[in-house]
PDB file of all heavy atoms in Angstrom:
ATOM      1  N   LEU A   6     -15.274  12.107 -15.914  1.00 97.00           N
ATOM      2  CA  LEU A   6     -14.124  12.388 -15.050  1.00 97.00           C
ATOM      3  C   LEU A   6     -12.980  12.813 -15.962  1.00 97.00           C
ATOM      4  O   LEU A   6     -12.750  12.196 -17.002  1.00 97.00           O
ATOM      5  CB  LEU A   6     -13.749  11.126 -14.283  1.00 97.00           C
ATOM      6  CG  LEU A   6     -12.576  11.220 -13.319  1.00 97.00           C
ATOM      7  CD1 LEU A   6     -12.791  10.274 -12.154  1.00 97.00           C
ATOM      8  CD2 LEU A   6     -11.248  10.933 -13.978  1.00 97.00           C
ATOM      9  N   TRP A   7     -12.269  13.884 -15.566  1.00 97.00           N
ATOM     10  CA  TRP A   7     -11.121  14.320 -16.359  1.00 97.00           C
ATOM     11  C   TRP A   7     -10.142  15.088 -15.484  1.00 97.00           C
ATOM     12  O   TRP A   7     -10.447  15.467 -14.355  1.00 97.00           O
ATOM     13  CB  TRP A   7     -11.552  15.142 -17.572  1.00 97.00           C
ATOM     14  CG  TRP A   7     -12.084  16.514 -17.289  1.00 97.00           C
ATOM     15  CD1 TRP A   7     -11.419  17.695 -17.385  1.00 97.00           C
ATOM     16  CD2 TRP A   7     -13.418  16.860 -16.895  1.00 97.00           C
ATOM     17  NE1 TRP A   7     -12.240  18.754 -17.073  1.00 97.00           N
ATOM     18  CE2 TRP A   7     -13.468  18.258 -16.777  1.00 97.00           C
ATOM     19  CE3 TRP A   7     -14.574  16.114 -16.633  1.00 97.00           C
ATOM     20  CZ2 TRP A   7     -14.626  18.934 -16.399  1.00 97.00           C
ATOM     21  CZ3 TRP A   7     -15.718  16.786 -16.251  1.00 97.00           C
ATOM     22  CH2 TRP A   7     -15.748  18.172 -16.143  1.00 97.00           C
ATOM     23  N   PHE A   8      -8.942  15.292 -16.031  1.00 97.00           N
ATOM     24  CA  PHE A   8      -7.870  15.994 -15.346  1.00 97.00           C
ATOM     25  C   PHE A   8      -7.452  17.196 -16.179  1.00 97.00           C
ATOM     26  O   PHE A   8      -7.341  17.099 -17.401  1.00 97.00           O
ATOM     27  CB  PHE A   8      -6.656  15.075 -15.169  1.00 97.00           C
ATOM     28  CG  PHE A   8      -6.928  13.891 -14.294  1.00 97.00           C
ATOM     29  CD1 PHE A   8      -7.400  12.703 -14.834  1.00 97.00           C
ATOM     30  CD2 PHE A   8      -6.708  13.961 -12.934  1.00 97.00           C
ATOM     31  CE1 PHE A   8      -7.651  11.609 -14.036  1.00 97.00           C
ATOM     32  CE2 PHE A   8      -6.959  12.867 -12.119  1.00 97.00           C
ATOM     33  CZ  PHE A   8      -7.434  11.694 -12.678  1.00 97.00           C
ATOM     34  N   ALA A   9      -7.199  18.321 -15.516  1.00 96.00           N
ATOM     35  CA  ALA A   9      -6.689  19.519 -16.184  1.00 96.00           C
ATOM     36  C   ALA A   9      -6.103  20.440 -15.121  1.00 96.00           C
ATOM     37  O   ALA A   9      -6.646  20.544 -14.013  1.00 96.00           O
ATOM     38  CB  ALA A   9      -7.795  20.234 -16.952  1.00 96.00           C
ATOM     39  N   ASP A  10      -5.019  21.098 -15.457  1.00 92.00           N
ATOM     40  CA  ASP A  10      -4.421  22.115 -14.574  1.00 92.00           C
ATOM     41  C   ASP A  10      -4.192  21.616 -13.155  1.00 92.00           C
ATOM     42  O   ASP A  10      -4.519  22.298 -12.185  1.00 92.00           O
ATOM     43  CB  ASP A  10      -5.296  23.374 -14.543  1.00 92.00           C
ATOM     44  CG  ASP A  10      -5.537  23.949 -15.929  1.00 92.00           C
ATOM     45  OD1 ASP A  10      -4.596  23.961 -16.734  1.00 92.00           O
ATOM     46  OD2 ASP A  10      -6.679  24.372 -16.205  1.00 92.00           O
ATOM     47  N   ASP A  11      -3.631  20.407 -13.016  1.00 94.00           N
ATOM     48  CA  ASP A  11      -3.354  19.808 -11.705  1.00 94.00           C
ATOM     49  C   ASP A  11      -4.603  19.689 -10.835  1.00 94.00           C
ATOM     50  O   ASP A  11      -4.553  19.832  -9.615  1.00 94.00           O
ATOM     51  CB  ASP A  11      -2.260  20.572 -10.952  1.00 94.00           C
ATOM     52  CG  ASP A  11      -0.880  20.236 -11.478  1.00 94.00           C
ATOM     53  OD1 ASP A  11      -0.701  19.138 -12.039  1.00 94.00           O
ATOM     54  OD2 ASP A  11       0.036  21.061 -11.318  1.00 94.00           O
ATOM     55  N   ARG A  12      -5.716  19.426 -11.480  1.00 97.00           N
ATOM     56  CA  ARG A  12      -6.979  19.208 -10.780  1.00 97.00           C
ATOM     57  C   ARG A  12      -7.668  17.973 -11.344  1.00 97.00           C
ATOM     58  O   ARG A  12      -7.460  17.617 -12.499  1.00 97.00           O
ATOM     59  CB  ARG A  12      -7.918  20.400 -10.950  1.00 97.00           C
ATOM     60  CG  ARG A  12      -7.430  21.662 -10.282  1.00 97.00           C
ATOM     61  CD  ARG A  12      -8.380  22.799 -10.533  1.00 97.00           C
ATOM     62  NE  ARG A  12      -7.942  23.993  -9.822  1.00 97.00           N
ATOM     63  CZ  ARG A  12      -8.506  25.180  -9.983  1.00 97.00           C
ATOM     64  NH1 ARG A  12      -9.532  25.324 -10.815  1.00 97.00           N
ATOM     65  NH2 ARG A  12      -8.075  26.210  -9.312  1.00 97.00           N
ATOM     66  N   ILE A  13      -8.502  17.373 -10.521  1.00 97.00           N
ATOM     67  CA  ILE A  13      -9.393  16.307 -10.972  1.00 97.00           C
ATOM     68  C   ILE A  13     -10.797  16.892 -10.992  1.00 97.00           C
ATOM     69  O   ILE A  13     -11.218  17.560 -10.031  1.00 97.00           O
ATOM     70  CB  ILE A  13      -9.309  15.045 -10.084  1.00 97.00           C
ATOM     71  CG1 ILE A  13     -10.277  13.979 -10.580  1.00 97.00           C
ATOM     72  CG2 ILE A  13      -9.510  15.376  -8.614  1.00 97.00           C
ATOM     73  CD1 ILE A  13     -10.170  12.649  -9.861  1.00 97.00           C
ATOM     74  N   TYR A  14     -11.487  16.691 -12.088  1.00 98.00           N
ATOM     75  CA  TYR A  14     -12.845  17.191 -12.272  1.00 98.00           C
ATOM     76  C   TYR A  14     -13.803  16.026 -12.432  1.00 98.00           C
ATOM     77  O   TYR A  14     -13.450  15.003 -13.009  1.00 98.00           O
ATOM     78  CB  TYR A  14     -12.937  18.041 -13.541  1.00 98.00           C
ATOM     79  CG  TYR A  14     -12.207  19.345 -13.482  1.00 98.00           C
ATOM     80  CD1 TYR A  14     -10.855  19.421 -13.798  1.00 98.00           C
ATOM     81  CD2 TYR A  14     -12.866  20.517 -13.138  1.00 98.00           C
ATOM     82  CE1 TYR A  14     -10.174  20.636 -13.766  1.00 98.00           C
ATOM     83  CE2 TYR A  14     -12.195  21.734 -13.105  1.00 98.00           C
ATOM     84  CZ  TYR A  14     -10.853  21.785 -13.421  1.00 98.00           C
ATOM     85  OH  TYR A  14     -10.186  22.978 -13.384  1.00 98.00           O
ATOM     86  N   ILE A  15     -15.029  16.233 -11.963  1.00 97.00           N
ATOM     87  CA  ILE A  15     -16.101  15.293 -12.246  1.00 97.00           C
ATOM     88  C   ILE A  15     -17.336  16.083 -12.673  1.00 97.00           C
ATOM     89  O   ILE A  15     -17.550  17.213 -12.237  1.00 97.00           O
ATOM     90  CB  ILE A  15     -16.451  14.376 -11.053  1.00 97.00           C
ATOM     91  CG1 ILE A  15     -16.887  15.186  -9.823  1.00 97.00           C
ATOM     92  CG2 ILE A  15     -15.312  13.432 -10.739  1.00 97.00           C
ATOM     93  CD1 ILE A  15     -17.439  14.338  -8.677  1.00 97.00           C
ATOM     94  N   LEU A  16     -18.124  15.469 -13.516  1.00 97.00           N
ATOM     95  CA  LEU A  16     -19.426  15.993 -13.901  1.00 97.00           C
ATOM     96  C   LEU A  16     -20.456  15.038 -13.328  1.00 97.00           C
ATOM     97  O   LEU A  16     -20.378  13.832 -13.567  1.00 97.00           O
ATOM     98  CB  LEU A  16     -19.553  16.075 -15.426  1.00 97.00           C
ATOM     99  CG  LEU A  16     -20.876  16.607 -15.970  1.00 97.00           C
ATOM    100  CD1 LEU A  16     -21.106  18.062 -15.555  1.00 97.00           C
ATOM    101  CD2 LEU A  16     -20.903  16.472 -17.486  1.00 97.00           C
ATOM    102  N   THR A  17     -21.378  15.570 -12.548  1.00 95.00           N
ATOM    103  CA  THR A  17     -22.385  14.721 -11.906  1.00 95.00           C
ATOM    104  C   THR A  17     -23.597  14.561 -12.823  1.00 95.00           C
ATOM    105  O   THR A  17     -23.775  15.330 -13.777  1.00 95.00           O
ATOM    106  CB  THR A  17     -22.852  15.325 -10.571  1.00 95.00           C
ATOM    107  OG1 THR A  17     -23.610  16.508 -10.827  1.00 95.00           O
ATOM    108  CG2 THR A  17     -21.674  15.638  -9.662  1.00 95.00           C
ATOM    109  N   ASP A  18     -24.423  13.584 -12.479  1.00 93.00           N
ATOM    110  CA  ASP A  18     -25.650  13.365 -13.251  1.00 93.00           C
ATOM    111  C   ASP A  18     -26.613  14.543 -13.119  1.00 93.00           C
ATOM    112  O   ASP A  18     -27.515  14.700 -13.928  1.00 93.00           O
ATOM    113  CB  ASP A  18     -26.323  12.057 -12.860  1.00 93.00           C
ATOM    114  CG  ASP A  18     -26.651  11.967 -11.378  1.00 93.00           C
ATOM    115  OD1 ASP A  18     -26.142  12.775 -10.582  1.00 93.00           O
ATOM    116  OD2 ASP A  18     -27.412  11.058 -11.008  1.00 93.00           O
ATOM    117  N   GLY A  19     -26.385  15.400 -12.135  1.00 94.00           N
ATOM    118  CA  GLY A  19     -27.181  16.617 -11.987  1.00 94.00           C
ATOM    119  C   GLY A  19     -26.640  17.793 -12.775  1.00 94.00           C
ATOM    120  O   GLY A  19     -27.137  18.909 -12.679  1.00 94.00           O
ATOM    121  N   GLY A  20     -25.560  17.559 -13.533  1.00 96.00           N
ATOM    122  CA  GLY A  20     -24.977  18.613 -14.360  1.00 96.00           C
ATOM    123  C   GLY A  20     -23.985  19.503 -13.642  1.00 96.00           C
ATOM    124  O   GLY A  20     -23.533  20.501 -14.188  1.00 96.00           O
ATOM    125  N   GLU A  21     -23.630  19.158 -12.426  1.00 96.00           N
ATOM    126  CA  GLU A  21     -22.711  19.972 -11.639  1.00 96.00           C
ATOM    127  C   GLU A  21     -21.268  19.536 -11.895  1.00 96.00           C
ATOM    128  O   GLU A  21     -20.951  18.349 -11.878  1.00 96.00           O
ATOM    129  CB  GLU A  21     -23.045  19.825 -10.151  1.00 96.00           C
ATOM    130  CG  GLU A  21     -22.306  20.769  -9.252  1.00 96.00           C
ATOM    131  CD  GLU A  21     -22.779  20.672  -7.805  1.00 96.00           C
ATOM    132  OE1 GLU A  21     -23.422  19.683  -7.431  1.00 96.00           O
ATOM    133  OE2 GLU A  21     -22.468  21.604  -7.052  1.00 96.00           O
ATOM    134  N   THR A  22     -20.381  20.515 -12.137  1.00 97.00           N
ATOM    135  CA  THR A  22     -18.958  20.242 -12.293  1.00 97.00           C
ATOM    136  C   THR A  22     -18.268  20.539 -10.968  1.00 97.00           C
ATOM    137  O   THR A  22     -18.378  21.647 -10.442  1.00 97.00           O
ATOM    138  CB  THR A  22     -18.342  21.108 -13.412  1.00 97.00           C
ATOM    139  OG1 THR A  22     -18.990  20.795 -14.649  1.00 97.00           O
ATOM    140  CG2 THR A  22     -16.849  20.855 -13.542  1.00 97.00           C
ATOM    141  N   LEU A  23     -17.589  19.541 -10.416  1.00 97.00           N
ATOM    142  CA  LEU A  23     -16.877  19.667  -9.146  1.00 97.00           C
ATOM    143  C   LEU A  23     -15.405  19.349  -9.392  1.00 97.00           C
ATOM    144  O   LEU A  23     -15.060  18.599 -10.305  1.00 97.00           O
ATOM    145  CB  LEU A  23     -17.458  18.707  -8.105  1.00 97.00           C
ATOM    146  CG  LEU A  23     -18.957  18.830  -7.837  1.00 97.00           C
ATOM    147  CD1 LEU A  23     -19.423  17.687  -6.945  1.00 97.00           C
ATOM    148  CD2 LEU A  23     -19.275  20.169  -7.210  1.00 97.00           C
ATOM    149  N   TRP A  24     -14.524  19.904  -8.565  1.00 97.00           N
ATOM    150  CA  TRP A  24     -13.102  19.655  -8.736  1.00 97.00           C
ATOM    151  C   TRP A  24     -12.382  19.659  -7.407  1.00 97.00           C
ATOM    152  O   TRP A  24     -12.886  20.165  -6.404  1.00 97.00           O
ATOM    153  CB  TRP A  24     -12.469  20.677  -9.670  1.00 97.00           C
ATOM    154  CG  TRP A  24     -12.484  22.081  -9.117  1.00 97.00           C
ATOM    155  CD1 TRP A  24     -13.475  22.998  -9.250  1.00 97.00           C
ATOM    156  CD2 TRP A  24     -11.470  22.706  -8.326  1.00 97.00           C
ATOM    157  NE1 TRP A  24     -13.145  24.155  -8.591  1.00 97.00           N
ATOM    158  CE2 TRP A  24     -11.917  24.007  -8.026  1.00 97.00           C
ATOM    159  CE3 TRP A  24     -10.225  22.300  -7.849  1.00 97.00           C
ATOM    160  CZ2 TRP A  24     -11.159  24.901  -7.273  1.00 97.00           C
ATOM    161  CZ3 TRP A  24      -9.472  23.189  -7.097  1.00 97.00           C
ATOM    162  CH2 TRP A  24      -9.947  24.479  -6.816  1.00 97.00           C
TER     163      TRP A  24
END
Side-chain angles (χ1 to χ4, degrees):
L6 180 149
W7 71 99
F8 296 90
D10 304 320
D11 282 335
R12 293 178 177 172
I13 179 174
Y14 291 86
I15 59 172
L16 180 64
T17 69
D18 57 346
E21 189 174 17
T22 299
L23 304 172
W24 65 272

